[in-house]
Amino acid sequence: MSNTTSSDPIEPDPSAPPPAASTERRRALRLVAGIASLLALWAVWQVLTSFVAYTDDAYVTTNFVAVVPQVTGVIVSVNVANDREARRGDLLAVIDKAPFQLVVDQRKAALQEAAANHKFVSDDLAAAQNRLAAATAALQQAGDDQKQLSLTAADVVSAEQQATMELAAAREAVDKASQSVARQEAIVAQAEAALALAEWQFGQTEIRAPVDGTVNNLSVSVGDTASAGKALVGIVDAAGWRIVANYKENYVRKLEPGKAAWVWLDTHPWRLYRARIEGVSRGISRGPDQDGILPYVAPTTDWIRLRRRFPITLKLVDPPSDLTLYMGSDASTLIFP
């Protein structure tokens, strides 16, 4: 006889939810919790950004001065090296002076000739004026003689006619001499202007630094031709350093010149530098095909469209003396509006 153990089947709890319903409830709770977390994060972000304005779309810049020759000629010496500092007035390069010196000599000779001719016609004018004065006196004398002397009518008429004709001729000579002097004065003025221009061009053969700064990307060598109106040397201005930060348009109304800011420089990481707002741009270009006078900040990245951003100009406050800034380097800025 074998012993067999039998057990009664377990009755399910009628109050317990079915397994599928429990899973759906857990999913719904997780979804609600996720949405609530996102809303909470959004609310915290809105509160935070009302007190803190941050952007990493910023860069260091300054004025880049393109030194442009005013005359064309062959470069005979280069007096500066690439990436070296230059002071205002330092000699950068020299253009061959010989052709310009020849022009100066030619203009001087032309001025001397014009001055000599002017003296000649001036002497003619003086002689004509003396003749006019003599003719005027002769006519006056003829009138006086008629009153004082018992001359015949024929003699009186003859003397007055001769004096009158001489006076007319003298006046004509004065007019012609005056016109010659005026023309020659104009020629002298033109010669003086031409000489002044030639001397100015001669002075422009020495190309000097217009500002303090650093020579950048120098590619000039002896024997090259400098062309008037074409940039020859570029200088990174040492006096115009600033940080331009592009802030979203919803921040702009809170930012005002003079407010404090903090700057992180990628060239000098792990340190914040004090700064202040120098200016807030009042306009940007809506497209990149403008004339370049208005700044253009692209509102898109590779795959998403961003809000419009406006350039904010910052300037460092009491930067360290050993701080070296680099034009075009990245930066991040933090402002408490």
Side-chain angles (χ1 to χ4, degrees), residues 22 173 250:
S22 178
N250 58 315

Side-chain angles (χ1 to χ4, degrees), residues 187-215:
I187 294 174
V188 170
Q190 290 177 347
E192 290 175 343
L195 176 59
L197 177 60
E199 290 176 338
W200 176 82
Q201 291 176 334
F202 179 82
Q204 295 301 312
T205 57
E206 294 185 352
I207 303 172
R208 298 184 177 274
V211 295
D212 297 342
T214 304
V215 177

Side-chain angles (χ1 to χ4, degrees), residues 56-62 242-246 265 295 297 311-312 314 326-333:
D56 59 359
D57 184 9
Y59 58 92
V60 179
T61 187
T62 185
R242 57 194 181 274
I243 292 88
V244 176
N246 295 317
L265 302 174
V297 183
I312 309 297
L314 308 174
Y326 299 88
M327 185 177 182
S329 60
D330 288 328
S332 301
T333 62

Side-chain angles (χ1 to χ4, degrees), residues 53 245 247-248 251-260 277 279-280 310 312 314 335-337:
Y247 272 95
K248 294 178 182 178
Y251 284 124
V252 174
R253 71 183 187 280
K254 306 175 184 178
L255 305 180
E256 298 176 354
K259 283 187 176 293
I277 298 177
V280 179
F310 285 75
I312 309 297
L314 308 174
I335 303 175
F336 299 94

